[in-house]
Amino acid sequence: MKGILLADNGDLAIKPVLERDGIRSGIIIGGSEIQNAYIVLGMNQGELKEDPLIGPNLLRFIRAKATKTAVIRQVRIHLERDGLDYDELKERINIKLKTD
């Protein structure tokens, strides 16, 4: 999935370019699945006006006696609600961690 990329600080990732006709451009477009997953997993329910049910509220699991299965279930539900595949993202993250 391609989309507008964000910089590490959350602002738009921009690489300014001055075209031949004098028009400025530079918004960076690229693969945004991991970025989107990061945003979704950091949300709490009600934070996104367009879809108030999205947001796994992961902070509540810090002191809770939740099982790993319960946390994964919550993550899977909310990623799928945003159109992302948990299993695919999990593999991509693991491959990235092994190569770094």
Side-chain angles (χ1 to χ4, degrees):
M1 163 188 317
K2 287 197 174 219
I4 297 172
L5 297 182
L6 301 177
D8 292 337
N9 63 0
D11 290 340
L12 289 176
I14 297 175
K15 184 177 179 184
V17 176
L18 183 60
E19 303 291 337
R20 291 182 185 194
D21 56 3
I23 297 176
R24 294 179 191 252
S25 64
I27 294 177
I28 300 174
I29 307 292
S32 62
E33 294 89 2
I34 300 293
Q35 171 183 285
N36 294 350
Y38 173 78
I39 292 169
V40 167
L41 294 178
M43 297 175 99
N44 292 315
Q45 287 183 334
E47 288 183 348
L48 185 64
K49 182 179 178 182
E50 291 81 13
D51 187 355
L53 295 179
I54 199 166
N57 303 325
L58 293 179
L59 290 177
R60 69 185 163 139
F61 290 117
I62 291 175
R63 292 195 177 145
K65 293 186 179 183
T67 63
K68 181 179 177 180
T69 306
V71 174
I72 290 173
R73 180 177 172 271
Q74 191 75 357
V75 167
R76 184 184 301 272
I77 288 169
H78 290 276
L79 288 177
E80 287 177 4
R81 187 165 183 89
D82 192 47
L84 300 167
D85 182 20
Y86 169 79
D87 294 319
E88 180 184 319
L89 288 173
K90 185 173 98 172
E91 280 187 31
R92 289 179 57 197
I93 291 169
N94 285 336
I95 289 169
K96 177 84 172 143
L97 291 174
K98 289 177 183 176
T99 58
D100 285 345

